[in-house]
Amino acid sequence: MMPAAHIQSTIEIIEHVQSIWAADRRAPVDALLGDYFRARRYIGSKDRGAISDLVYFVLRNGGALEWHIEQCDRSTTARRLVMVALIFYAVPDRTPMEREDIAELFSGEKYAPSRITEQEMQMLARCEGRAFTSPEMPGAARYNYPDWLEGRLKDAFGDQLPEAMQALNAQAPIDLRTNLLKCKDRGDLILALDKDGYFAAPTPHSPIGVRLKKRLPAFNTTAFKEGLYEMQDEGSQIVGLLVNAKPGDKVIDFCAGAGGKTLTIAATMQNKGRLLAWDVSEHRLQQIHKRLARAGVSNVQTHVLKSETDAFLKRHVETADWVLVDAPCSGSGTWRRNPDLKWRFSLEDLREVKELQTNILHNAARLVKRGGRLVYVTCSVFNDENRWQVQQFLGKNPSFRVATPDRMWNKHFHAVEDLGIFIALSPHKDGTDGFFAAILVNDA
């Protein structure tokens, strides 16, 4: 495809996203991108990569791009977003474009966007003279987040907000979790990847993580097909390892989803004991079976819950050594990977998910036996989904207390007066996605 065709495809995708979100903001962009490319099989992998990169640049920087358009007294459209993005879009082997070059791409010829107008040229001329971000911009535009989140982000990061948002707006690395059921340690995985032509280094914090030195498709290697690893952010690995279950323990993964942390726990248990993976979504839970087989996991039983209050839970009251609650949340800690989340998640969504978190915690706690542990995890950076939820839970469940995580993670401890010590991870401090975790012990 020619560059002009890349631009036209990008405009079409953003227009499609905008129209879908007008009716249903739950639709993730990666799924919409997949639909677009499946309907156009002629678009090759390199072209798909170039188009996707520009789409994600627009999503990551939507606040700043809209601000620049508004300063030119123009309304925001997909076409204008892409035009202005090209003025500022810089990636390896590519520099931002000048307006004359952009005009050549907007030629109106076959596969190219319609011809650029004089008004659009004037808009680009005004943008060329500006820095992409500047102190005159409001915080939401400068750091690319919705206005309604400003208070929560300042509460979460304080005077580190600029550094935090810059890190959350960057592209995440590709981290892999070593499968210790098939590898002695991560050194074995690094050697296996080397044979596939993939070069990796140990992650700085997780003892079972490796990080690819270049962004490459991680599902095409022999090592992956043999089950030596799963793709998993280093932060997700760390909070999964907080479930320090022994072989023979009974563990319940209450919100297992597609099983990423279930696989981590199975390896910790050395495939011995009972590991129950539950979720309310049959579709998500079905994805776990292929992953279990590839990883060589044999101690997992799955069950689809009707809700977080399913009567099925009564069979397991006060029987679990460990319960993991990887709670549904805003996903604000994953904006590096899912920049669309910050634009499609609303205040009403947050209220609903907080209520769900409260209900899940209450019902999951019933399953923990005396002396057992409940690990509460979110991939959110917002305090009202994290320590405030734990504080509320402890107020209603006095038999539980916060336990200090393993000293291995002491760089990530976050002490809260009168509450205890939590794990708090963030891109700007730890180089991971944003995660929160608390270990709650039942002393009843």
Side-chain angles (χ1 to χ4, degrees):
M1 292 176 71
M2 299 296 288
H6 290 168
I7 304 305
Q8 178 59 24
S9 291
T10 302
I11 294 170
E12 290 174 2
I13 290 167
I14 294 171
E15 286 176 340
H16 180 58
V17 168
Q18 290 172 336
S19 75
I20 292 293
W21 283 358
D24 181 7
R25 299 189 75 84
R26 293 171 297 178
V29 163
D30 59 351
L32 299 178
L33 271 171
D35 292 343
Y36 182 88
F37 291 134
R38 275 190 295 273
R40 297 160 180 83
R41 299 285 185 181
Y42 56 84
I43 301 179
S45 60
K46 287 187 177 180
D47 294 317
R48 290 197 299 271
I51 294 164
S52 298
D53 284 347
L54 185 50
V55 169
Y56 276 101
F57 179 85
V58 171
L59 289 170
R60 291 183 195 284
N61 298 285
L65 294 173
E66 285 194 19
W67 183 86
H68 282 287
I69 293 169
E70 289 168 0
Q71 296 307 297
C72 300
D73 300 319
R74 296 286 179 264
S75 58
T76 300
T77 65
R79 177 182 168 93
R80 289 170 185 161
L81 283 169
V82 174
M83 278 185 176
V84 175
L86 292 171
I87 289 284
F88 300 108
Y89 180 47
V91 293
D93 304 321
R94 189 193 184 287
T95 57
M97 300 180 70
E98 296 182 354
R99 67 183 184 277
E100 290 80 7
D101 299 320
I102 297 173
E104 289 183 12
L105 293 173
F106 284 74
S107 63
E109 296 177 1
K110 190 175 183 181
Y111 306 124
S114 59
R115 185 176 296 278
I116 197 165
T117 67
E118 184 60 36
Q119 286 183 330
E120 289 169 339
M121 285 293 286
Q122 292 172 4
M123 177 185 72
L124 294 178
R126 291 179 65 179
C127 290
E128 274 185 334
R130 296 197 194 103
F132 190 37
T133 60
S134 66
E136 66 180 302
M137 300 170 79
R142 189 176 184 185
Y143 302 122
N144 296 289
Y145 55 79
D147 291 323
W148 70 271
L149 284 177
E150 182 146 351
R152 283 179 171 82
L153 290 168
K154 287 182 176 178
D155 181 50
F157 298 120
D159 59 7
Q160 294 183 356
L161 179 61
E163 297 89 342
M165 291 309 303
Q166 183 176 9
L168 277 168
N169 213 35
Q171 191 175 56
I174 296 178
D175 293 343
L176 312 176
R177 178 187 54 78
T178 308
N179 179 10
L180 295 183
L181 294 175
K182 294 196 173 186
C183 297
K184 181 180 67 177
D185 55 35
R186 59 182 170 183
D188 288 350
L189 175 56
I190 290 172
L191 289 174
L193 288 166
D194 188 65
K195 291 178 182 177
D196 282 326
Y198 283 49
F199 303 110
T203 50
H205 308 300
S206 168
I208 56 174
V210 304
R211 180 165 292 165
L212 295 186
K213 294 184 177 180
K214 287 181 64 177
R215 294 190 65 82
L216 294 167
F219 301 126
N220 295 344
T221 67
T222 302
F224 175 74
K225 293 169 185 174
E226 292 178 350
L228 304 191
Y229 69 83
E230 286 280 339
M231 188 187 296
Q232 188 177 36
D233 177 75
E234 185 184 18
S236 184
Q237 295 177 36
I238 289 172
V239 296
L241 289 169
L242 293 178
V243 181
N244 192 21
K246 303 184 300 294
D249 279 352
K250 177 178 177 178
V251 182
I252 298 172
D253 189 349
F254 199 92
C255 308
K261 295 180 183 66
T262 308
L263 293 165
T264 303
I265 298 167
T268 302
M269 298 172 72
Q270 300 172 31
N271 247 348
K272 299 172 184 176
R274 294 184 69 193
L275 178 48
L276 310 181
W278 301 344
D279 203 274
V280 295
S281 170
E282 183 175 8
H283 172 71
R284 284 197 301 267
L285 204 54
Q286 281 178 342
Q287 299 174 47
I288 198 175
H289 298 291
K290 188 181 292 186
R291 301 175 77 183
L292 294 174
R294 185 173 56 243
V297 172
S298 58
N299 68 328
V300 172
Q301 297 172 293
T302 62
H303 181 80
V304 179
L305 297 174
K306 294 176 182 175
S307 73
E308 71 275 12
T309 61
D310 195 327
F312 169 81
L313 303 182
K314 293 179 182 178
R315 306 180 195 179
H316 300 274
V317 169
E318 297 182 1
T319 63
D321 298 285
W322 292 85
V323 175
L324 171 63
V325 172
D326 187 8
C329 67
S330 64
S332 51
T334 70
W335 285 351
R336 299 189 304 172
R337 303 177 194 280
N338 307 297
D340 54 308
L341 258 181
K342 59 187 169 185
W343 307 118
R344 60 187 178 85
F345 196 81
S346 68
L347 179 58
E348 182 58 34
D349 292 331
L350 183 59
R351 288 175 180 143
E352 289 177 7
V353 83
K354 283 163 55 180
E355 182 178 353
L356 182 57
Q357 290 164 356
T358 300
N359 292 339
I360 289 174
L361 260 177
H362 170 74
N363 286 283
R366 297 164 51 212
L367 311 177
V368 183
K369 71 181 188 182
R370 183 173 183 178
R373 300 189 171 206
L374 187 159
V375 180
Y376 175 70
V377 173
T378 76
C379 54
S380 171
V381 299
F382 302 148
N383 285 327
D384 47 347
E385 294 184 90
N386 296 336
R387 62 184 178 90
W388 294 357
Q389 281 286 12
V390 173
Q391 190 168 18
Q392 178 179 264
F393 171 80
L394 293 174
K396 295 179 179 178
N397 296 271
S399 66
F400 281 83
R401 62 176 171 83
V402 176
T404 301
D406 190 293
R407 287 290 167 186
M408 180 188 299
W409 314 120
N410 60 4
K411 289 183 180 179
H412 315 295
F413 286 176
H414 181 68
V416 176
E417 188 176 353
D418 298 328
L419 260 183
I421 293 176
F422 307 131
I423 290 280
L425 304 171
S426 59
H428 70 296
K429 287 185 175 180
D430 307 290
T432 68
D433 285 349
F435 277 95
F436 171 89
I439 301 175
L440 308 171
V441 181
N442 183 7
D443 285 333

